[in-house]
Amino acid sequence: MGISENSNINIVHNHKTNSIETANELKGKLRSRGFTVSDTISEDAMVNICIGGDGAFLRAVHASNFSSVPFLGINTGHLGFFQELCPSDLDELIDSLEQKSYSIEEIELLKATVYTKHDSFTVKAINEIAIKGVSSKVIHIDVYIDGDIFEKVSGDGLIVSTPIGSTAYNFSCGGSIISPKLKTLQITPIAPINSKAYRCMNNSLIVPSCSSLVVRPEYRDESSLSIISDGIQYNHHGIREISFGYSGHKLKKLTVEGKSFWNNVREKFL
């Protein structure tokens, strides 16, 4: 599905001074070229432009409930893995929008279905969903792959990440970087405990997306878990089981410069 054939553009930004200044400059340039600009995300637009760092990008995507309109990022933060352009690239961006010289990348969304004692709910993510203890409490989680118990993870928690999210929290915890061309799930323990009492893997585990991946906390930890989706935290009581897989929905990301995933990795990390 391509970009909308209209001239409406949504612009959102964080509250940092350089983000506000960039947003105001971009709005002026766009309006002078005949575009209509909105400060909120609506579905009647050709693109959602997010100004800030990766955190601002992810918050905007979640706040829009994973809008079907393509997203594009302008980096005024630090790493900016999702933020393809710099504030100095505004004229180039507008030229690309006018000439339609861009491409649309589709990103698979991760989904966790959480079952509690009384109900169930789902959580989606672009990068990862982490399971951690409330107030940094050590937790014990049984990991099941394709219906079989694989191991018990004891420690601060675990991360389930997508390939595009393998460069985020997963990478900081020692996980591997995976090409987004591969459809996998990566399970990475957070500060695992290894002692005479507890033994678990120190490294990440990569499984195909078709695998059934389920985690179950020990009964004493059912009310001590936080579910963190792309940095957004949810606390629920009585969690019995969490199953992971792809949601079937995709996020569209507009790309102007055509940089490859590995070019991004090299520029941001090496």
Coordinates of all heavy atoms in Angstrom, one line a residue, residues 165-242:
G165 N 14.5 -4.4 16.3 CA 14.7 -4.0 17.6 C 16.0 -4.7 18.2 O 16.3 -4.4 19.4
S166 N 16.7 -5.5 17.4 CA 17.8 -6.2 18.0 C 19.0 -5.2 18.3 O 19.9 -5.5 19.0 CB 18.3 -7.2 17.0 OG 18.8 -6.6 15.8
T167 N 18.9 -4.0 17.7 CA 20.0 -3.0 17.9 C 19.6 -2.1 19.1 O 20.4 -1.2 19.5 CB 20.1 -2.1 16.7 OG1 18.9 -1.4 16.4 CG2 20.5 -2.8 15.5
A168 N 18.5 -2.3 19.8 CA 18.0 -1.5 20.9 C 18.4 -2.1 22.2 O 19.5 -2.4 22.5 CB 16.5 -1.2 20.7
Y169 N 17.4 -2.2 23.1 CA 17.6 -2.7 24.5 C 18.3 -4.1 24.4 O 19.2 -4.4 25.2 CB 16.3 -2.8 25.2 CG 16.3 -3.1 26.7 CD1 17.5 -3.0 27.4 CD2 15.1 -3.4 27.4 CE1 17.5 -3.2 28.8 CE2 15.1 -3.6 28.7 CZ 16.3 -3.5 29.4 OH 16.3 -3.8 30.8
N170 N 17.9 -4.9 23.5 CA 18.5 -6.2 23.3 C 20.0 -6.2 23.1 O 20.8 -6.9 23.8 CB 17.9 -6.9 22.0 CG 18.6 -8.1 21.6 OD1 18.5 -9.2 22.1 ND2 19.4 -8.0 20.5
F171 N 20.5 -5.3 22.3 CA 21.9 -5.1 22.1 C 22.6 -4.7 23.3 O 23.7 -5.2 23.6 CB 22.1 -4.1 20.9 CG 23.6 -4.0 20.5 CD1 24.3 -5.1 20.0 CD2 24.2 -2.8 20.6 CE1 25.6 -4.9 19.6 CE2 25.5 -2.6 20.2 CZ 26.2 -3.7 19.7
S172 N 22.0 -3.8 24.1 CA 22.6 -3.3 25.3 C 22.8 -4.4 26.4 O 23.6 -4.4 27.2 CB 21.8 -2.2 25.9 OG 21.7 -1.1 25.1
C173 N 21.9 -5.5 26.2 CA 22.0 -6.6 27.2 C 22.8 -7.8 26.6 O 22.7 -8.9 27.2 CB 20.6 -7.0 27.6 SG 19.7 -5.8 28.6
G174 N 23.5 -7.5 25.6 CA 24.4 -8.6 25.0 C 23.8 -9.4 23.9 O 24.4 -10.4 23.5
G175 N 22.6 -9.0 23.4 CA 22.0 -9.8 22.4 C 22.6 -9.5 21.0 O 23.5 -8.6 20.9
S176 N 22.3 -10.4 20.0 CA 22.9 -10.3 18.7 C 22.1 -9.3 17.8 O 20.9 -9.1 18.0 CB 22.8 -11.6 18.0 OG 23.6 -12.6 18.7
I177 N 22.8 -8.7 16.9 CA 22.1 -7.8 15.9 C 21.7 -8.7 14.7 O 22.5 -9.5 14.2 CB 23.1 -6.7 15.3 CG1 23.4 -5.7 16.5 CG2 22.5 -6.0 14.2 CD1 24.4 -4.6 16.1
I178 N 20.4 -8.6 14.3 CA 19.9 -9.5 13.3 C 19.3 -8.7 12.2 O 18.7 -7.7 12.4 CB 18.7 -10.4 13.9 CG1 19.3 -11.2 15.0 CG2 18.1 -11.2 12.8 CD1 18.2 -12.0 15.7
S179 N 19.6 -9.1 10.9 CA 19.0 -8.4 9.8 C 17.5 -8.5 9.8 O 16.9 -9.5 10.1 CB 19.5 -9.1 8.5 OG 18.8 -8.7 7.4
P180 N 16.8 -7.3 9.5 CA 15.4 -7.3 9.5 C 14.8 -8.1 8.3 O 13.6 -8.3 8.3 CB 15.0 -5.8 9.3 CG 16.3 -5.2 8.8 CD 17.4 -6.0 9.3
K181 N 15.6 -8.7 7.4 CA 15.2 -9.5 6.4 C 14.8 -10.9 6.9 O 14.1 -11.7 6.3 CB 16.2 -9.7 5.3 CG 16.4 -8.4 4.5 CD 17.5 -8.6 3.4 CE 17.7 -7.3 2.6 NZ 18.7 -7.5 1.5
L182 N 15.3 -11.2 8.1 CA 15.0 -12.5 8.8 C 13.8 -12.3 9.7 O 13.8 -11.3 10.5 CB 16.2 -13.0 9.6 CG 17.5 -13.2 8.8 CD1 18.6 -13.6 9.7 CD2 17.3 -14.3 7.7
K183 N 12.9 -13.2 9.7 CA 11.7 -13.1 10.6 C 11.9 -14.1 11.8 O 11.7 -15.3 11.7 CB 10.4 -13.5 9.8 CG 9.2 -13.1 10.5 CD 7.9 -13.3 9.6 CE 6.7 -12.8 10.4 NZ 5.5 -13.0 9.6
T184 N 12.4 -13.5 12.8 CA 12.8 -14.2 14.0 C 12.3 -13.5 15.3 O 11.9 -12.4 15.2 CB 14.3 -14.4 14.1 OG1 14.9 -13.1 14.3 CG2 14.9 -15.1 12.9
L185 N 12.4 -14.3 16.4 CA 12.2 -13.7 17.7 C 13.5 -14.0 18.5 O 14.1 -15.1 18.4 CB 11.1 -14.3 18.4 CG 9.7 -14.1 17.8 CD1 8.6 -14.9 18.6 CD2 9.3 -12.6 17.9
Q186 N 14.0 -13.0 19.2 CA 15.2 -13.2 20.0 C 14.9 -13.0 21.5 O 14.2 -12.1 21.9 CB 16.3 -12.1 19.6 CG 17.6 -12.4 20.3 CD 18.8 -11.6 19.7 OE1 19.9 -11.7 20.1 NE2 18.5 -10.7 18.7
I187 N 15.3 -14.0 22.3 CA 15.1 -14.0 23.7 C 16.4 -13.7 24.4 O 17.4 -14.5 24.2 CB 14.5 -15.4 24.2 CG1 13.4 -15.8 23.3 CG2 14.1 -15.3 25.7 CD1 13.1 -17.3 23.3
T188 N 16.5 -12.6 25.2 CA 17.7 -12.2 25.8 C 17.5 -12.0 27.3 O 16.6 -11.2 27.7 CB 18.2 -10.9 25.2 OG1 18.4 -11.1 23.8 CG2 19.6 -10.5 25.8
P189 N 18.2 -12.8 28.2 CA 18.0 -12.6 29.6 C 18.6 -11.2 30.1 O 19.6 -10.7 29.5 CB 18.8 -13.7 30.2 CG 19.8 -14.1 29.2 CD 19.2 -13.8 27.8
I190 N 18.0 -10.7 31.1 CA 18.5 -9.4 31.7 C 19.2 -9.7 33.0 O 18.5 -10.2 33.9 CB 17.4 -8.4 31.9 CG1 16.6 -8.1 30.6 CG2 17.9 -7.1 32.4 CD1 15.4 -7.3 30.8
A191 N 20.5 -9.6 33.1 CA 21.2 -9.8 34.3 C 20.9 -11.2 34.9 O 20.4 -11.3 36.1 CB 21.0 -8.7 35.4
P192 N 21.1 -12.3 34.2 CA 20.7 -13.6 34.7 C 21.6 -14.0 35.9 O 22.8 -13.7 35.9 CB 20.9 -14.5 33.5 CG 22.0 -13.8 32.7 CD 21.7 -12.3 32.9
I193 N 21.0 -14.8 36.8 CA 21.7 -15.3 37.9 C 22.3 -16.7 37.6 O 21.6 -17.5 37.1 CB 20.8 -15.4 39.2 CG1 20.2 -14.0 39.5 CG2 21.5 -16.0 40.4 CD1 19.2 -14.1 40.6
N194 N 23.5 -16.9 37.9 CA 24.2 -18.2 37.8 C 24.9 -18.5 39.1 O 25.9 -17.8 39.4 CB 25.1 -18.2 36.6 CG 24.4 -18.5 35.3 OD1 23.9 -19.6 35.0 ND2 24.2 -17.4 34.5
S195 N 24.4 -19.4 39.8 CA 25.0 -19.8 41.1 C 24.6 -21.3 41.3 O 24.1 -22.0 40.5 CB 24.4 -19.0 42.2 OG 23.0 -19.2 42.4
K196 N 25.0 -21.8 42.5 CA 24.6 -23.2 42.8 C 23.1 -23.3 42.9 O 22.6 -24.4 42.7 CB 25.3 -23.6 44.2 CG 26.8 -23.8 44.1 CD 27.3 -24.3 45.4 CE 28.8 -24.6 45.3 NZ 29.4 -25.1 46.5
A197 N 22.4 -22.2 43.3 CA 20.9 -22.3 43.4 C 20.2 -22.1 42.1 O 19.2 -22.8 41.8 CB 20.5 -21.3 44.4
Y198 N 20.7 -21.3 41.2 CA 20.1 -20.9 40.0 C 21.0 -21.1 38.8 O 22.2 -20.6 38.9 CB 19.5 -19.5 40.0 CG 18.5 -19.3 41.1 CD1 18.9 -18.5 42.2 CD2 17.2 -19.8 41.1 CE1 18.0 -18.3 43.3 CE2 16.3 -19.6 42.1 CZ 16.7 -18.8 43.2 OH 15.8 -18.6 44.2
R199 N 20.6 -21.7 37.7 CA 21.4 -21.8 36.5 C 20.5 -21.4 35.3 O 19.4 -21.9 35.1 CB 21.9 -23.2 36.3 CG 22.8 -23.7 37.4 CD 24.1 -23.0 37.5 NE 24.9 -23.1 36.3 CZ 26.1 -22.5 36.1 NH1 26.5 -21.6 37.1 NH2 26.8 -22.6 35.1
C200 N 21.0 -20.5 34.5 CA 20.3 -20.2 33.2 C 21.3 -19.6 32.2 O 22.4 -19.3 32.6 CB 19.1 -19.2 33.5 SG 19.6 -17.6 34.2
M201 N 20.8 -19.5 31.0 CA 21.7 -19.1 29.9 C 22.1 -17.6 30.1 O 21.4 -16.8 30.5 CB 21.1 -19.3 28.6 CG 19.8 -18.5 28.3 SD 19.1 -18.8 26.7 CE 17.8 -17.7 26.7
N202 N 23.4 -17.4 29.7 CA 23.9 -16.0 29.7 C 23.7 -15.3 28.4 O 23.8 -14.1 28.3 CB 25.3 -16.0 30.1 CG 25.6 -16.3 31.5 OD1 24.9 -15.7 32.4 ND2 26.5 -17.2 31.8
N203 N 23.4 -16.1 27.3 CA 23.4 -15.5 26.0 C 22.0 -15.5 25.4 O 21.1 -16.1 26.0 CB 24.3 -16.4 25.0 CG 25.7 -16.5 25.5 OD1 26.1 -17.5 26.0 ND2 26.4 -15.4 25.4
S204 N 21.8 -14.8 24.3 CA 20.5 -14.7 23.7 C 20.2 -16.0 22.9 O 21.1 -16.7 22.5 CB 20.4 -13.5 22.8 OG 21.3 -13.6 21.7
L205 N 18.9 -16.2 22.7 CA 18.5 -17.3 21.9 C 17.6 -16.8 20.8 O 16.7 -16.0 21.0 CB 17.6 -18.3 22.8 CG 17.0 -19.5 22.2 CD1 18.1 -20.5 21.8 CD2 16.0 -20.2 23.1
I206 N 17.8 -17.3 19.6 CA 17.1 -16.9 18.4 C 16.3 -18.0 17.9 O 16.8 -19.1 17.6 CB 18.1 -16.3 17.3 CG1 18.9 -15.1 17.8 CG2 17.3 -15.9 16.0 CD1 20.1 -14.8 17.0
V207 N 15.0 -17.8 17.7 CA 14.1 -18.8 17.2 C 13.3 -18.3 16.0 O 13.1 -17.1 15.9 CB 13.1 -19.3 18.3 CG1 13.8 -19.9 19.5 CG2 12.2 -18.1 18.8
P208 N 12.8 -19.1 15.1 CA 12.0 -18.7 14.0 C 10.7 -18.2 14.5 O 10.2 -18.6 15.5 CB 11.9 -19.9 13.1 CG 12.1 -21.1 14.1 CD 13.1 -20.6 15.1
S209 N 10.1 -17.2 13.7 CA 8.9 -16.6 14.1 C 7.7 -17.6 14.2 O 6.7 -17.3 14.9 CB 8.5 -15.5 13.2 OG 8.3 -16.0 11.8
C210 N 7.8 -18.7 13.5 CA 6.8 -19.7 13.5 C 6.7 -20.5 14.8 O 5.8 -21.2 15.1 CB 6.9 -20.6 12.3 SG 8.4 -21.6 12.3
S211 N 7.8 -20.4 15.6 CA 7.8 -21.1 16.9 C 6.8 -20.5 17.9 O 6.5 -19.3 17.9 CB 9.2 -21.0 17.5 OG 10.2 -21.7 16.7
S212 N 6.3 -21.4 18.7 CA 5.4 -21.0 19.8 C 6.3 -20.6 21.0 O 7.1 -21.4 21.5 CB 4.5 -22.1 20.2 OG 3.8 -21.8 21.4
L213 N 6.2 -19.3 21.4 CA 7.0 -18.9 22.5 C 6.1 -18.4 23.7 O 5.3 -17.4 23.5 CB 7.9 -17.7 22.1 CG 8.8 -17.0 23.2 CD1 9.7 -18.0 23.9 CD2 9.6 -15.9 22.5
V214 N 6.2 -19.0 24.8 CA 5.4 -18.7 26.0 C 6.3 -18.6 27.2 O 7.2 -19.4 27.4 CB 4.3 -19.8 26.2 CG1 3.5 -19.6 27.5 CG2 3.4 -19.9 25.0
V215 N 6.0 -17.6 28.1 CA 6.7 -17.6 29.4 C 5.6 -17.6 30.5 O 4.5 -17.0 30.3 CB 7.6 -16.3 29.5 CG1 8.6 -16.3 28.4 CG2 6.8 -15.0 29.4
R216 N 6.0 -18.2 31.6 CA 5.1 -18.3 32.7 C 5.9 -18.0 34.0 O 7.0 -18.6 34.3 CB 4.5 -19.7 32.9 CG 3.6 -20.1 31.7 CD 3.1 -21.5 31.8 NE 2.2 -21.8 30.7 CZ 2.3 -23.0 30.0 NH1 3.1 -23.9 30.5 NH2 1.5 -23.2 29.0
P217 N 5.5 -17.0 34.8 CA 6.2 -16.7 36.0 C 5.9 -17.7 37.1 O 4.8 -18.4 37.1 CB 5.6 -15.3 36.4 CG 4.3 -15.3 35.8 CD 4.3 -16.1 34.5
E218 N 6.8 -17.9 38.0 CA 6.5 -18.7 39.2 C 5.4 -18.0 39.9 O 5.2 -16.8 39.9 CB 7.7 -18.8 40.1 CG 8.8 -19.7 39.6 CD 9.8 -20.0 40.7 OE1 9.9 -19.3 41.7 OE2 10.6 -21.0 40.5
Y219 N 4.6 -18.8 40.6 CA 3.4 -18.3 41.3 C 3.7 -17.1 42.2 O 2.9 -16.2 42.3 CB 2.7 -19.4 42.1 CG 3.5 -19.8 43.4 CD1 3.2 -19.2 44.6 CD2 4.5 -20.8 43.3 CE1 4.0 -19.6 45.7 CE2 5.2 -21.2 44.4 CZ 4.9 -20.5 45.6 OH 5.6 -20.9 46.8
R220 N 4.9 -17.1 42.8 CA 5.2 -16.0 43.7 C 5.5 -14.7 43.0 O 5.5 -13.6 43.6 CB 6.4 -16.3 44.6 CG 7.6 -16.7 43.8 CD 8.8 -17.1 44.7 NE 9.9 -17.7 43.9 CZ 11.0 -18.1 44.4 NH1 11.2 -18.1 45.8 NH2 12.0 -18.6 43.7
D221 N 5.7 -14.8 41.7 CA 6.0 -13.6 40.9 C 4.8 -13.1 40.0 O 4.9 -12.1 39.3 CB 7.2 -13.9 39.9 CG 8.5 -14.1 40.7 OD1 8.7 -13.5 41.7 OD2 9.3 -15.0 40.2
E222 N 3.7 -13.7 40.2 CA 2.5 -13.4 39.3 C 2.1 -11.9 39.4 O 1.6 -11.3 38.5 CB 1.3 -14.3 39.6 CG 1.5 -15.7 39.2 CD 0.3 -16.6 39.5 OE1 -0.5 -16.1 40.3 OE2 0.3 -17.8 39.1
S223 N 2.3 -11.3 40.6 CA 1.9 -9.9 40.8 C 3.1 -9.0 40.9 O 3.0 -7.9 41.5 CB 1.0 -9.8 42.1 OG -0.2 -10.5 41.9
S224 N 4.3 -9.5 40.5 CA 5.5 -8.7 40.6 C 6.1 -8.4 39.3 O 7.3 -8.2 39.2 CB 6.5 -9.5 41.5 OG 5.9 -9.8 42.7
L225 N 5.3 -8.4 38.2 CA 5.9 -8.3 36.9 C 5.5 -6.9 36.2 O 4.4 -6.5 36.4 CB 5.4 -9.4 35.9 CG 5.8 -10.8 36.3 CD1 5.3 -11.8 35.2 CD2 7.3 -11.0 36.4
S226 N 6.5 -6.4 35.5 CA 6.2 -5.2 34.6 C 6.4 -5.7 33.2 O 7.4 -6.4 32.9 CB 7.1 -4.1 34.9 OG 6.8 -3.5 36.1
I227 N 5.5 -5.3 32.3 CA 5.6 -5.5 30.9 C 5.9 -4.2 30.2 O 5.2 -3.2 30.4 CB 4.3 -6.1 30.3 CG1 4.0 -7.4 31.0 CG2 4.4 -6.3 28.8 CD1 2.6 -8.0 30.7
I228 N 7.1 -4.2 29.6 CA 7.6 -2.9 29.0 C 7.7 -3.0 27.5 O 8.5 -3.8 27.0 CB 9.0 -2.6 29.6 CG1 8.9 -2.6 31.2 CG2 9.5 -1.2 29.1 CD1 10.2 -2.5 31.9
S229 N 6.8 -2.3 26.8 CA 6.8 -2.3 25.4 C 7.4 -1.1 24.8 O 6.9 0.0 24.9 CB 5.3 -2.4 24.9 OG 5.2 -2.2 23.5
D230 N 8.6 -1.3 24.1 CA 9.3 -0.1 23.5 C 9.5 1.0 24.6 O 9.4 2.2 24.3 CB 8.5 0.5 22.3 CG 8.6 -0.5 21.1 OD1 9.5 -1.3 21.1 OD2 7.6 -0.4 20.3
G231 N 9.8 0.6 25.8 CA 10.0 1.6 26.9 C 8.8 2.1 27.6 O 8.9 2.8 28.6
I232 N 7.6 1.6 27.2 CA 6.3 2.0 27.9 C 5.9 0.9 28.8 O 5.8 -0.2 28.4 CB 5.2 2.3 26.8 CG1 5.7 3.4 25.9 CG2 3.9 2.7 27.5 CD1 4.8 3.6 24.7
Q233 N 5.8 1.2 30.1 CA 5.6 0.2 31.1 C 4.1 0.0 31.5 O 3.3 0.9 31.6 CB 6.3 0.7 32.4 CG 6.3 -0.3 33.5 CD 7.2 0.0 34.6 OE1 8.4 0.3 34.4 NE2 6.8 -0.1 35.9
Y234 N 3.8 -1.3 31.7 CA 2.5 -1.7 32.1 C 2.6 -2.6 33.3 O 3.4 -3.6 33.3 CB 1.7 -2.5 31.0 CG 1.6 -1.7 29.7 CD1 2.6 -1.8 28.7 CD2 0.5 -1.0 29.4 CE1 2.5 -1.2 27.5 CE2 0.4 -0.3 28.1 CZ 1.4 -0.4 27.2 OH 1.3 0.2 26.0
N235 N 1.9 -2.3 34.4 CA 1.9 -3.2 35.5 C 0.5 -3.9 35.7 O -0.5 -3.2 35.7 CB 2.2 -2.4 36.8 CG 3.6 -1.9 36.8 OD1 4.5 -2.5 36.2 ND2 3.9 -0.8 37.6
H236 N 0.5 -5.2 35.8 CA -0.8 -5.9 36.0 C -0.6 -7.0 37.1 O 0.5 -7.5 37.2 CB -1.3 -6.5 34.7 CG -1.8 -5.5 33.7 ND1 -3.1 -5.1 33.7 CD2 -1.1 -4.9 32.8 CE1 -3.2 -4.2 32.7 NE2 -2.0 -4.1 32.1
H237 N -1.7 -7.3 37.8 CA -1.6 -8.3 38.9 C -2.1 -9.6 38.4 O -2.9 -9.7 37.5 CB -2.4 -7.8 40.1 CG -2.0 -6.6 40.7 ND1 -0.8 -6.6 41.5 CD2 -2.5 -5.3 40.8 CE1 -0.6 -5.3 41.9 NE2 -1.6 -4.6 41.5
G238 N -1.5 -10.7 38.9 CA -2.0 -12.0 38.7 C -1.7 -12.5 37.3 O -2.5 -13.2 36.7
I239 N -0.5 -12.2 36.7 CA -0.2 -12.6 35.4 C 0.2 -14.1 35.5 O 1.1 -14.5 36.2 CB 1.0 -11.8 34.8 CG1 0.5 -10.4 34.6 CG2 1.5 -12.4 33.5 CD1 1.6 -9.4 34.1
R240 N -0.5 -14.9 34.7 CA -0.2 -16.4 34.6 C 0.6 -16.8 33.5 O 1.4 -17.7 33.6 CB -1.6 -17.1 34.5 CG -2.5 -16.9 35.8 CD -1.9 -17.7 37.0 NE -2.8 -17.6 38.1 CZ -3.9 -18.4 38.3 NH1 -4.2 -19.3 37.5 NH2 -4.6 -18.2 39.4
E241 N 0.5 -16.1 32.3 CA 1.2 -16.6 31.1 C 1.3 -15.4 30.1 O 0.4 -14.6 30.0 CB 0.4 -17.7 30.5 CG 1.0 -18.3 29.2 CD 0.2 -19.5 28.7 OE1 0.2 -20.5 29.4 OE2 -0.4 -19.3 27.6
I242 N 2.3 -15.4 29.3 CA 2.5 -14.4 28.3 C 3.0 -15.2 27.0 O 4.0 -15.9 27.1 CB 3.5 -13.3 28.6 CG1 3.1 -12.7 30.0 CG2 3.6 -12.2 27.5 CD1 4.2 -11.8 30.5

